[in-house]
Amino acid sequence: MSENLKRLVDAGVSIWLDDISRERLRTGNLAALIRDKAVTGVTSNPTIFAGALSKGDAYNVQLRDLAVRGVSVEEAVRAITTFDIRWAADVLKPVYDATNGVDGRVSIEVDPRLARKTEPTIAEARALWWMVDRPNVHIKIPATVEGLPAITQALSEGISVNVTLIFSLERYRAVMDAWLTGLEQARANGHNLAGIESVASFFVSRVDTEIDARLDKLGTPEALALKGQAGVANARLAFAAFEEVMGSPRWQALRAAGARPQRPLWASTGVKNPDYPDTLYVDQLVTAGIVNTMPEKTLDSAADHGKISGDTIRPFYEQAWNVMAALKDAGIDYDDVVKVLEDEGVQKFETSWNELLETVDSELRKA
């Protein structure tokens, strides 16, 4: 392990890989990343699976079998994706055991076309939980308004959840409330709270992409001076909100009953703007008790030249509030920004899901 990654781990950050593919699994690449680069978890999404299916021949045998069986395209997609998730979960099981179930986790997303539908999302979460059938899986549910009750219901049934597509501080607080309610109901239902794990995926780089574009349009020196600061400031304030909840009597009661914290997870950590340091969303978001899920390119950069220098969240709350206040003064409408980002996020994953369906349909016809 590189010294940079060691410092990151020593600071209390769990390193997860934001990627999965059959090729990565069958070549032993994931096992190598666990061994050599401190990877302790894996996240996936429809875009990642669409990319994996479009390259190489790793899925050919399974596709032929599915074609022979005459399964539907949607059933084939579920068979393919859950196969990869089960495999990754088995590779990560030693990490899961060594960390007493905190890490060693693998995430699979509900059909993004259901993001605005509560009951179908709940049914899909149950189906994925059953199909993968591994204790170290996370079911990813989007933090839409309709997704919040689905998060609560899944947790109440003992299903571990990765809440995804969180952009705003207000919505993040609603996510934490949904999580607490889910655990309270799980406790009432007789579930062992220690076995229910959850993370909250707070997106970072997309916030800068959207706000930077608006700052460019404003074009004033004051506006341009704020570029590249919103994503980190927003995430730091999310952690401040997390700390508030961790100090609440409501959480203390659940912790006494064996519950684990819903760790903040920094998602969308690949830097989109080449003018910014490529480890920006790693170096500037370090503190104990969080997860950073990185594309492999970002992971390699962090290993090679990351600048890990202690806690870069807690000492900077005031600075983060100042950044957000300056953005507001410059004319940036935060509420509109986060609404646009959520709508775009849902749409992008839905588009990727449709691409995945089309790819599998094409491959089944050829098989």
Side-chain angles (χ1 to χ4, degrees):
M1 190 194 313
S2 79
E3 277 301 313
N4 292 328
L5 294 183
K6 185 177 185 305
R7 280 196 291 271
L8 195 60
V9 171
D10 289 345
V13 176
S14 290
I15 299 170
W16 290 8
L17 178 71
D18 191 27
D19 190 54
I20 194 171
S21 70
R22 188 75 53 87
E23 186 68 17
R24 190 184 288 284
L25 291 162
R26 73 176 185 177
T27 60
N29 172 263
L30 177 57
L33 291 175
I34 294 167
R35 183 186 66 239
D36 301 333
K37 292 195 172 170
V39 167
T40 58
V42 168
T43 49
S44 70
N45 61 47
T47 303
I48 286 169
F49 273 119
L53 262 291
S54 67
K55 291 178 273 192
D57 61 357
Y59 296 92
N60 288 1
V61 172
Q62 188 179 17
L63 282 163
R64 280 196 297 272
D65 287 346
L66 292 165
V68 168
R69 289 172 54 211
V71 304
S72 69
V73 174
E74 296 207 359
E75 185 181 347
V77 167
R78 278 296 171 231
I80 289 165
T81 55
T82 56
F83 186 98
D84 282 3
I85 295 298
R86 273 192 300 276
W87 191 343
D90 290 343
V91 173
L92 279 156
K93 185 61 161 52
V95 177
Y96 172 82
D97 292 337
T99 60
N100 195 28
V102 174
D103 283 313
R105 298 276 173 171
V106 186
S107 297
I108 183 170
E109 190 141 356
V110 298
D111 183 338
R113 296 172 299 178
L114 307 176
R116 306 291 184 189
K117 301 174 182 177
T118 301
E119 290 302 321
T121 293
I122 294 169
E124 178 84 351
R126 289 174 181 145
L128 287 172
W129 184 252
W130 175 82
M131 290 175 74
V132 176
D133 193 27
R134 296 293 187 273
N136 52 329
V137 69
H138 273 143
I139 307 303
K140 288 180 82 173
I141 298 176
T144 56
V145 169
E146 300 82 357
L148 295 173
I151 292 160
T152 293
Q153 184 61 35
L155 290 163
S156 78
E157 297 178 15
I159 296 172
S160 294
V161 174
N162 177 342
V163 184
T164 189
L165 289 177
I166 309 172
F167 298 96
S168 82
L169 298 172
E170 180 183 7
R171 185 60 55 80
Y172 180 41
R173 289 182 181 278
V175 165
M176 289 190 285
D177 181 70
W179 161 68
L180 290 168
T181 303
L183 289 184
E184 288 162 349
Q185 292 179 7
R187 185 183 183 188
N189 293 337
H191 289 286
N192 174 15
L193 298 188
I196 306 172
E197 241 290 318
S198 186
V199 292
S201 294
F202 200 88
F203 280 53
V204 187
S205 70
R206 294 189 195 183
V207 173
D208 273 336
T209 300
E210 179 65 25
I211 288 182
D212 281 2
R214 298 184 185 211
L215 292 169
D216 280 332
K217 193 171 291 187
L218 291 169
T220 65
E222 294 80 9
L224 296 178
L226 290 167
K227 287 181 64 177
Q229 298 184 54
V232 167
N234 199 42
R236 285 171 171 167
L237 295 179
F239 194 83
F242 166 75
E243 286 200 305
E244 286 179 30
V245 170
M246 290 299 98
S248 69
R250 192 177 177 194
W251 164 244
Q252 297 302 324
L254 287 166
R255 186 176 70 170
R260 304 173 187 266
Q262 182 189 58
R263 289 182 295 170
L265 178 152
W266 308 135
S268 180
T269 57
V271 174
K272 307 292 193 293
N273 188 330
D275 293 337
Y276 302 156
D278 57 1
T279 59
L280 174 66
Y281 306 122
V282 179
D283 301 342
Q284 295 301 307
L285 292 172
V286 175
T287 198
I290 59 100
V291 179
N292 194 314
T293 184
M294 313 175 201
E296 189 170 12
K297 183 178 179 182
T298 302
L299 175 62
D300 289 343
S301 296
D304 181 65
H305 53 265
K307 295 178 173 59
I308 312 304
S309 55
D311 192 323
T312 51
I313 294 181
R314 287 184 175 93
F316 298 99
Y317 289 155
E318 184 177 358
Q319 183 186 93
W321 281 119
N322 290 339
V323 168
M324 303 309 282
L327 287 166
K328 183 178 181 180
D329 290 344
I332 299 299
D333 185 340
Y334 178 83
D335 291 340
D336 184 65
V337 167
V338 295
K339 182 182 184 306
V340 166
L341 287 171
E342 180 180 295
D343 290 344
E344 282 184 354
V346 170
Q347 185 56 54
K348 284 177 181 177
F349 280 169
E350 186 171 330
T351 298
S352 295
W353 189 261
N354 288 328
E355 289 172 2
L356 180 57
L357 291 170
E358 289 168 9
T359 300
V360 171
D361 182 45
S362 174
E363 293 299 322
L364 288 174
R365 291 175 190 277
K366 289 191 287 185

